[in-house]
Amino acid sequence: MFAVPSIIYIAHLKNMLDTPNVRTVHESLTPRLGGVAVFAGFMSALTIFAPLDNGVQQLLAGCIVLFFVGLKDDLVSISVAKKFVGQLLATGVVMIMADVRITSFQGILGIGELPIGISYAFTFFAIVGITNAINLIDGLDGLAGSIVLIIVSTFGYYFYQYGGPSFQNYAFVSVCVVGGILGFLRYNFHRASIFMGDTGSLVCGFIVSILTIQFIEMGLKVGQPFGSAAPAVALGILFVPLFDTLRVFIVRMMAGRSPFSPDKNHVHHRILAMGFQQISTVMLLGLLNVVVILLVINFAYLGSMMLIGLLIGFSLLLSLLLGVYHSRAERQRIAS
């Protein structure tokens, strides 16, 4: 909270501002270095108060790598390849040095423990996928921050309650992220005086991905409330960013374009097109994520396969709803 006004002042002084374009929703020059403040709050609190064992030290190292990758991108813009190299390095640190990885599918499709090679490959895919899903959802004032806040708070509660000596220090990680995000959101809700930028979204996405993996691994422990349903519950907790990313990738590929080609077809763009304001869109997506979280938590007893089936069915229904409205709105626009 104390850092953001100084960052805004320096960004305007040095003309380090995000210019509106056809893909963005904002209409004025706005600093996009809010991630610097989030990182500062998170890092200082965690290193002062938290025990740094069980992979948290390596998590911090990965965050530092992605912080500088994001900072360079926010200042001068870098290629997708360079961003990917940064993510590869950060992921390698936590996977190889801390052995943070998904070791089992816990019965999904009849698959139990994974061979070491497949475990590393799937973990890498999961970390990069979740990191970029959080990065992609950062399209409206307060949206990425609010979604990260909901996800991390949920994980933090279960780490605190059921983590034990192996996972409980990830509750510290969760609380410190919540603190960093709350201080930043004070200035980020519509009309935002500062954006999170890649500095914030890459770091927050990376932290969320590691918390997700540790939450799934915690499911292998006796006494954890979800048992073998932990992977499906984790997917439900991440519902909004994962749904948005998968949906836009599929829509782009069906249109014969690269899945990474930018457009205004994200779920928040579609909701804005329905006539909602920015604040109500953010609240609606936050509420959607909370509702799905409550559903997967309360129906975890159905098991992973049933929960994943329900999530896929709900996603298809939601996609159909957004698609039907989009085509109707497009017809009206052409007619007018």
Side-chain angles (χ1 to χ4, degrees), residues 109-131:
L109 300 173
I111 302 168
E113 193 169 342
L114 297 172
I116 189 87
I118 294 173
S119 172
Y120 277 119
F122 188 78
T123 302
F124 172 73
F125 174 77
I127 292 174
V128 172
I130 294 168
T131 302

Side-chain angles (χ1 to χ4, degrees), residues 18-30:
D18 191 39
T19 308
N21 57 52
V22 292
R23 291 192 295 109
T24 57
V25 176
H26 68 286
E27 296 168 355
S28 57
L29 293 167
T30 310

Side-chain angles (χ1 to χ4, degrees), residues 32-257:
R32 52 187 302 217
L33 294 170
V36 175
V38 176
F39 180 77
F42 163 73
M43 199 74 171
S44 55
L46 196 68
T47 49
I48 293 167
F49 297 109
L52 300 180
D53 51 352
N54 299 329
V56 173
Q57 183 182 347
Q58 288 76 16
L59 167 63
L60 287 178
C63 287
I64 291 167
V65 170
L66 289 178
F67 170 77
F68 284 107
V69 170
L71 184 62
K72 186 175 180 182
D73 189 52
D74 286 337
L75 294 175
V76 296
S77 291
I78 59 174
S79 66
V80 173
K82 286 181 180 176
K83 271 200 231 181
F84 181 75
V85 169
Q87 291 176 24
L88 181 65
L89 185 58
T91 304
V93 169
V94 290
M95 273 201 315
I96 295 163
M97 296 184 68
D99 200 34
V100 172
R101 56 191 174 87
I102 296 168
T103 58
S104 170
F105 275 9
Q106 302 183 34
I108 296 174
L109 300 173
I111 302 168
E113 193 169 342
L114 297 172
I116 189 87
I118 294 173
S119 172
Y120 277 119
F122 188 78
T123 302
F124 172 73
F125 174 77
I127 292 174
V128 172
I130 294 168
T131 302
N132 285 293
I134 299 295
N135 190 19
L136 288 170
I137 199 93
D138 186 23
L140 292 183
D141 296 347
L143 178 58
S146 301
I147 296 296
V148 168
L149 197 66
I150 291 164
I151 291 168
V152 170
S153 300
T154 308
F155 283 141
Y157 170 77
Y158 286 102
F159 284 127
Y160 175 72
Q161 287 284 63
Y162 305 99
S166 300
F167 297 98
Q168 206 161 46
N169 59 334
Y170 283 93
F172 284 90
V173 176
S174 304
V175 169
C176 292
V177 174
V178 167
I181 293 288
L182 283 174
F184 165 71
L185 281 176
R186 157 75 175 77
Y187 305 95
N188 185 235
F189 270 111
H190 190 65
R191 296 181 174 262
S193 53
I194 191 166
F195 297 149
M196 185 181 283
D198 275 13
T199 314
S201 61
L202 286 176
V203 169
C204 287
F206 182 69
I207 294 166
V208 166
S209 69
I210 302 303
L211 292 178
T212 304
I213 289 165
Q214 295 295 60
F215 177 82
I216 291 168
E217 286 300 294
M218 196 168 72
L220 296 167
K221 284 179 52 185
V222 177
Q224 199 263 9
F226 306 118
S228 62
V233 173
L235 290 175
I237 293 170
L238 296 169
F239 180 77
V240 167
L242 292 185
F243 166 72
D244 178 57
T245 303
L246 288 170
R247 182 186 161 276
V248 292
F249 276 21
I250 291 166
V251 167
R252 288 167 188 173
M253 287 189 288
M254 285 173 67
R257 294 185 292 121

Side-chain angles (χ1 to χ4, degrees), residues 248-269:
V248 292
F249 276 21
I250 291 166
V251 167
R252 288 167 188 173
M253 287 189 288
M254 285 173 67
R257 294 185 292 121
S258 164
F260 301 102
S261 61
D263 57 23
K264 293 187 78 169
N265 200 30
H266 287 278
V267 64
H268 49 271
H269 292 135

Side-chain angles (χ1 to χ4, degrees), residues 295-317:
L295 283 172
V296 292
I297 286 170
N298 285 298
F299 291 98
Y301 65 86
L302 294 173
S304 276
M305 289 305 296
M306 185 66 79
L307 276 183
I308 291 170
L310 288 171
L311 288 172
I312 291 171
F314 183 59
S315 301
L316 291 171
L317 189 67

